[in-house]
Amino acid sequence: MAEEAKQETPAAAEVVVVEKADEVVAVEKAVEVEAEEKKLAEQEEEEEKKAEEAEEAAGGDEAAVIEGTGSFKEESNLVSELPDPERTALAQLKELVAAALAAGEFDLPPPPPPPPAKAEEPAKEEEPKAAEAPAAEEPKAEAEAEAEAAATEEPKTEEPKTEEPAKEEEPKAAAAAAAEEPKAEAAAEEAKPAEPETEEKTVVVTEDEGTSKTVEAIEETVVVAAPAAAAEAEAAAPKEELIWGVPLTGDDERTDTVLLKFLRAREFKVKEAMAMLKAAVLWRKRFGIDAVLAADLGLPELENVVFYRGADREGHPVCYNVYGEFQDKDLYEKAFGDEEKRERFLKWRIQLLERGILDQLDFSPSGICSMVQVTDLKNSPPMLGKHRTVTRQALALLQDNYPEFIAKKIFINVPWWYIAANKMVSPFLTQRTKSKIIFCTAAKSAETLFRYIAPEQVPVQFGGLYKEDDTEFSTSDAVTELPIKPSSKETVEIPATENSTVVWELRVLGWEVSYGAEFTPDAEGGYTVIVQKTRKVPANEEPIMKGSFKVGEPGKIVLTVDNAASKKKKQLLYRFKVKSSSESA
């Protein structure tokens, strides 16, 4: 989207899937106008202060989260649940696809013939010799023609000499045919059965030369006709065409899901959807998707730039785009240093998307067939560098060839100017597209992500609790969310059994709160044990606090979070386990 602005996301960060190319053009033009307004840059600090004041005044409401009006809910892919017009459109598209397959319209055109060899000059030199040869043999041909004319007493004609040989050859051919006629008649008589006998003598041929040749000719005709008939039958049957492993025709229920993607991308205009489908299939063949999937294209450093991690609350796989990693100049040069590297990056990005589709999406009518994209705009490089061309190419390819693969597109850590640009381009987007896109500032990024993705699925760097090397907890261990009001205190009680070990972890988004933990036994007169002395945790400290305590008697662990010094609402995330002594061992 905002390609000419002060700062921009690179490459596939602009994976906002819009339905029409003219929308993208309009978006780019609008953002270019916005980028030219230098006054916005001078007002950056002032606007940020106003935004903070507005958030405080709103008491932590969703003031910093901007998304299109209305809500988007994925439509059903079950044919029985489709409205009648959509069901009719799907049936019509199927007919067009079948006809196109039969006509070979999904096949790439044959390559152009190779340029003619540079052997034309020698050929020209040979022409005089070729011309001399007929001239040398002309007297001989004339002599033979005169002899034939004398033998057959055929009157001469007044036609040009160039036609005389052809005319005078006819009597010779007639004489030859007359000479062979008795043999042919004899052969026909012997080959023709006198009576409709069923004995084998109709198969056993005589030694007569003519009959043997006739039977051999029949056998050759039969042998040659069989492969020809098989080839014609094979050509008549349309070749199966697959896209993302799904056939475009047949009884496979996944076919409906794929075709509905193209129909929805073109608002159920059948001819437009057919044109898009055909163009996508032909592009995949020209691009060499199979070869790209098998190629070794990745740099180890790029694994932190674009990656899949977890799923949202509805089961869609989540793809993160973190282009702040390109602040590393060495990595930037490895990815975009020259044309060859930029082409490699583009193929790598398409390869990653294709692998995600094949590995994580299910095209069955009730399956998951789209994903969530999270794009982190924090510290992303300006859109004035070497990656600009790759960005445009990636956007165009994703828009034209991967319809309806985005369930939600969430931009996090969005700078103020990006939100301003979004307000300008929003009128150019369809309601369907706007309903899928969410923009949120740094202060609201984690909270917004949690609306769609559970905290245990969100990586630590984006505010969640997911860690690659975590030995205690996994994504199957649910996280509890607890709001903490301004100037208030919240406690979490974890019941503990005798001879067990309690393990917990928690984080407060933004911290700047006081945190402590203690064990309180159930028995009267028991002593409270301070597990973690209460202290103020600054925002720049370790994002997650972990703790454990071996319990010798029944009781409870009490975690205390005090937000007394802040006027902002905070969000507490925590989870715990109580393990028996055997499990701890």
Side-chain angles (χ1 to χ4, degrees), residues 22 33 75 168 175 239 252 262 371 415 494 534:
D22 54 352
V33 173
E75 299 92 340
E168 293 176 2
K239 181 182 177 183
D252 194 323
F262 288 89
M371 60 183 66
I494 305 173
T534 301

Side-chain angles (χ1 to χ4, degrees), residues 563-575:
N563 192 31
S566 176
K567 296 181 180 180
K568 290 185 179 181
K569 180 183 73 174
K570 299 295 178 68
Q571 190 168 9
L572 168 65
L573 310 174
Y574 70 91
R575 57 183 172 180

Side-chain angles (χ1 to χ4, degrees), residues 42-263:
E42 299 173 354
Q43 299 174 356
E44 178 175 354
E45 294 182 2
E46 181 180 352
E47 291 292 338
E48 287 180 345
K49 291 180 181 179
K50 289 182 179 180
E52 290 179 1
E53 292 174 0
E55 289 180 35
E56 291 180 3
D61 291 338
E62 298 298 324
V65 179
I66 297 178
E67 60 181 310
T69 57
S71 60
F72 169 75
K73 185 177 178 179
E74 285 188 291
E75 299 92 340
S76 172
N77 289 317
L78 292 169
V79 177
S80 59
E81 297 180 2
L82 296 176
D84 289 339
E86 295 182 2
R87 196 180 312 166
T88 301
L90 177 60
Q92 292 174 350
L93 181 58
K94 284 183 173 182
E95 292 177 0
L96 291 179
V97 171
L101 281 172
E105 295 180 14
F106 288 100
D107 298 330
L108 289 175
K118 295 183 178 180
E120 295 180 359
E121 294 182 1
K124 290 181 180 179
E125 294 176 0
E126 293 291 334
E127 286 180 4
K129 294 182 180 180
E132 290 174 5
E137 293 193 8
E138 187 174 348
K140 183 178 179 182
E142 289 180 358
E144 291 178 357
E146 290 175 2
E148 288 291 334
T152 57
E153 297 183 357
E154 188 77 12
K156 293 184 179 180
T157 61
E158 294 296 327
E159 295 186 275
K161 285 185 178 182
T162 54
E163 296 185 6
E164 285 179 3
K167 290 285 184 180
E168 293 176 2
E169 286 292 335
E170 292 179 3
K172 183 178 179 180
E180 291 291 332
E181 190 173 359
K183 288 185 180 181
E185 289 179 358
E189 285 296 326
E190 294 203 12
K192 181 180 178 182
E195 297 179 4
E197 297 180 359
T198 56
E199 297 181 6
E200 294 184 358
K201 60 182 179 180
T202 57
V203 178
V204 178
V205 298
T206 63
E207 294 182 0
D208 184 87
E209 186 178 354
T211 307
S212 300
K213 289 182 178 179
T214 303
V215 174
E216 287 174 4
I218 293 172
E219 290 177 351
E220 286 183 13
T221 304
V222 173
V223 171
V224 173
E232 289 178 3
E234 184 177 351
K239 181 182 177 183
E240 184 180 51
E241 195 69 60
L242 301 177
I243 183 168
W244 304 301
V246 179
L248 292 182
T249 58
D251 298 329
D252 194 323
E253 60 182 5
R254 298 175 301 164
T255 300
D256 293 338
T257 303
V258 170
L259 296 182
L260 283 169
K261 283 182 174 293
F262 288 89
L263 283 168

Side-chain angles (χ1 to χ4, degrees), residues 429-476:
L429 302 177
T430 64
Q431 183 59 43
R432 183 184 183 84
T433 298
K434 288 190 290 185
S435 66
K436 295 182 181 181
I437 304 173
I438 299 101
F439 297 90
C440 50
T441 61
K444 292 293 180 182
S445 291
E447 186 176 349
T448 303
L449 283 179
F450 298 157
R451 289 168 55 188
Y452 305 100
I453 310 169
E456 61 269 20
Q457 300 277 355
V458 177
V460 172
Q461 64 264 40
F462 304 121
L465 295 185
Y466 176 84
K467 300 176 294 299
E468 288 281 354
D469 56 350
D470 197 338
T471 57
E472 288 289 350
F473 297 97
S474 68
T475 55
S476 60

Side-chain angles (χ1 to χ4, degrees), residues 327-480:
Q327 284 193 317
D328 184 336
K329 294 182 179 179
D330 291 338
L331 177 59
Y332 187 89
E333 285 299 317
K334 285 181 181 179
F336 309 112
D338 55 40
E339 184 61 31
E340 182 179 351
K341 291 177 180 177
R342 290 191 288 272
E343 182 67 22
R344 180 186 178 93
F345 179 88
L346 180 63
K347 288 185 177 180
W348 170 80
R349 186 63 185 89
I350 295 297
Q351 180 192 68
L352 190 70
L353 176 59
E354 284 284 329
R355 288 179 176 176
I357 291 173
L358 294 176
D359 296 341
Q360 304 195 47
L361 297 186
D362 175 14
F363 291 100
S364 65
S366 57
I368 299 296
C369 59
S370 60
M371 60 183 66
V372 171
Q373 288 262 354
V374 176
T375 297
D376 185 5
L377 298 183
K378 184 178 181 181
N379 299 326
S380 56
M383 190 48 154
L384 302 174
K386 300 176 181 179
H387 61 275
R388 180 175 181 174
T389 302
V390 181
T391 301
R392 291 178 179 271
Q393 288 179 316
L395 177 60
L397 291 179
L398 294 169
Q399 169 193 317
D400 294 339
N401 303 292
Y402 297 90
E404 297 298 313
F405 274 94
I406 301 299
K408 279 289 181 186
K409 178 68 179 176
I410 306 172
F411 290 87
I412 61 174
N413 295 313
V414 179
W416 64 271
W417 57 263
Y418 205 104
I419 294 179
N422 175 67
K423 289 181 180 179
M424 286 194 63
V425 304
S426 182
F428 298 99
L429 302 177
T430 64
Q431 183 59 43
R432 183 184 183 84
T433 298
K434 288 190 290 185
S435 66
K436 295 182 181 181
I437 304 173
I438 299 101
F439 297 90
C440 50
T441 61
K444 292 293 180 182
S445 291
E447 186 176 349
T448 303
L449 283 179
F450 298 157
R451 289 168 55 188
Y452 305 100
I453 310 169
E456 61 269 20
Q457 300 277 355
V458 177
V460 172
Q461 64 264 40
F462 304 121
L465 295 185
Y466 176 84
K467 300 176 294 299
E468 288 281 354
D469 56 350
D470 197 338
T471 57
E472 288 289 350
F473 297 97
S474 68
T475 55
S476 60
D477 298 311
V479 173
T480 301

